[in-house]
Amino acid sequence: MAECIECDAAISFPADAVEGEIVTCPECGAGFELVGGKDGMGLKPAQTVGEDWGE
Amino acid sequence: MSAGVAVLHDAVRWEEKALLEAGKRSGIPVRMVDCRELAIAPGTEPPVSGTILQRCVSYYRSIHSTAALEGAGARVINTLEAALLAGNKLFTHVLLRRAGVRTPRAAVAFSAEAAVRAIEGIGYPAVLKPTVGSWGRMVSRVNDRDAAEGVIEGRESMHPSYHAHYVEEFVRRPPRDIRAIVVGDEVVAAIYRASENWKTNTALGGRAEPCEVTGELEDVCIRARDAVRGQIVGVDLMEDEERGLVVHEVNGTTEYKNTVRVCGVDIPTKMLRYAAGLG
């Protein structure tokens, strides 16, 4: 669980969360990447979809 | 004992997480490797051991990391050759034609004036695409000369990579296309992508529905995979009203979330087993 950096809403992490996973704020829709830290998982703003992103 | 599989990523989407979970189910060791943390020197020991499944969402990060890792002696799926060939719609088109795989008629031109001529040679409506790109981004249907000139003028002011004006015929087809997932020699599953929008990408709201893998579909997909020298690919096809199946794209780092959801096939385990040399 963490607070949204944009709107302060609570964002819960999946039970099987992994570093690098993208989560979305349920209130404002902002995207974040899960990052590991000494106090457990945290959030950093996800990279904006790049011009070369795809499959 | 398998050396395991490294999943090389730059964002963990559903697909990459599914590979991690599949590793736990199948007993194949899976390591998640963030490409953004690597420094790779070709000619030295690769920083990632075992077979590497290339899953970066950034195309340029993907091809450059594959090149460097291969240069360091690593085995990467797909190879650099396949990634480059499948990653460019013109290259893929040329190779599909050479392999005798039906594909939409296409042309390329390198100036605004020649691009209009190329489009008018194909006939309206036509589809203008960047040679490199995904998720339907900047794919434009042009119905007449005014629209064509407008779209081309816009692209002429962009990065030079957009100045290779690639144009395809607009294929008459049902309001859907097909995405088939190929793992090694097997077409493991396929979906229809149905949409009221002429662009059927699920990234743009196309609905996924199961599609039977017929002998014809399998044959076309395997030949398309061979054309780009791929190993694990997503083949996109349309059902032309007259010609039948035509291949318009081969994806080198295919997404498969919706295919798993509607077909119930364990695609990530099949990918891992293939990468680990187990099937």
Side-chain angles (χ1 to χ4, degrees):
Chain A
M1 182 83 82
E3 266 186 10
C4 175
I5 296 165
E6 298 290 338
C7 73
D8 294 338
I11 300 177
S12 55
F13 301 158
D16 58 353
V18 295
E19 242 182 286
E21 187 170 349
I22 304 296
V23 295
T24 304
C25 173
E27 295 291 325
C28 71
F32 299 97
E33 181 179 332
L34 294 182
V35 291
K38 61 179 187 297
D39 301 322
M41 290 280 190
L43 299 175
K44 77 170 187 182
Q47 188 185 343
T48 308
V49 172
E51 201 174 334
D52 71 332
W53 278 26
E55 50 180 336
Chain B
M1 178 68 184
S2 166
V5 176
V7 174
L8 186 64
H9 67 84
D10 52 5
V12 178
R13 299 166 290 173
W14 186 93
E15 282 83 357
E16 288 70 55
K17 202 166 170 181
L19 288 164
L20 184 62
E21 294 302 318
K24 292 175 188 166
R25 285 197 303 277
S26 64
I28 298 171
V30 170
R31 283 161 295 124
M32 305 296 280
V33 178
D34 189 335
C35 189
R36 297 167 296 181
E37 295 178 0
L38 296 183
I40 313 161
T44 65
E45 192 70 17
V48 184
S49 61
T51 299
I52 299 164
L53 269 180
Q54 176 57 264
R55 294 294 312 169
C56 286
V57 69
S58 158
Y59 173 69
Y60 289 104
R61 191 175 285 137
S62 164
I63 57 171
H64 288 88
S65 58
T66 295
L69 286 163
E70 285 187 355
R75 176 183 181 232
V76 185
I77 298 174
N78 286 300
T79 63
L80 175 64
E81 182 184 30
L84 291 170
L85 297 176
N88 183 298
K89 293 178 178 66
L90 172 64
F91 300 172
T92 301
H93 172 78
V94 170
L95 293 166
L96 289 171
R97 282 185 55 81
R98 192 179 292 164
V101 177
R102 283 192 295 267
T103 184
R105 287 184 298 119
V108 66
F110 306 97
S111 70
E113 297 75 18
V116 171
R117 286 207 314 276
I119 291 169
E120 299 198 333
I122 294 285
Y124 295 111
V127 181
L128 269 167
K129 297 179 172 182
T131 52
V132 173
S134 200
W135 296 341
R137 198 170 37 236
M138 287 182 58
V139 173
S140 303
R141 172 175 163 166
V142 290
N143 294 333
D144 56 35
R145 185 168 192 147
D146 287 345
E149 288 176 343
V151 171
I152 292 163
E153 183 185 0
R155 294 191 185 182
E156 284 286 306
S157 65
M158 296 178 185
H159 186 272
S161 62
Y162 294 112
H163 298 177
H165 300 287
Y166 179 69
V167 53
E168 277 183 5
E169 66 173 311
F170 183 82
V171 172
R172 305 285 173 190
R173 53 165 172 81
R176 65 186 187 188
D177 74 352
I178 296 171
R179 159 67 57 87
I181 308 292
V182 183
V183 179
D185 292 329
E186 185 187 4
V187 180
V188 297
I191 55 170
Y192 292 113
R193 302 185 298 185
S195 178
E196 283 70 49
N197 187 332
W198 71 274
K199 288 196 258 191
T200 54
N201 307 69
T202 49
L204 300 175
R207 294 184 310 280
E209 297 163 7
C211 170
E212 182 189 354
V213 179
T214 63
E216 181 194 11
L217 179 64
E218 186 165 33
D219 174 63
V220 172
C221 289
I222 294 297
R223 288 194 292 130
R225 177 212 62 178
D226 287 346
V228 300
R229 283 68 133 170
Q231 295 165 286
I232 297 175
V233 296
V235 181
D236 293 347
L237 311 96
M238 291 183 278
E239 302 154 283
D240 182 280
E241 289 174 357
E242 294 176 357
R243 292 170 293 178
L245 295 174
V246 296
V247 175
H248 58 283
E249 205 166 303
V250 182
N251 300 277
T253 49
T254 186
E255 292 169 331
Y256 50 86
K257 174 183 175 181
N258 290 306
T259 312
V260 169
R261 179 172 60 81
V262 303
C263 297
V265 176
D266 188 355
I267 294 172
T269 296
K270 287 178 178 290
M271 291 171 63
L272 284 184
R273 287 184 60 80
Y274 176 80
L278 299 174

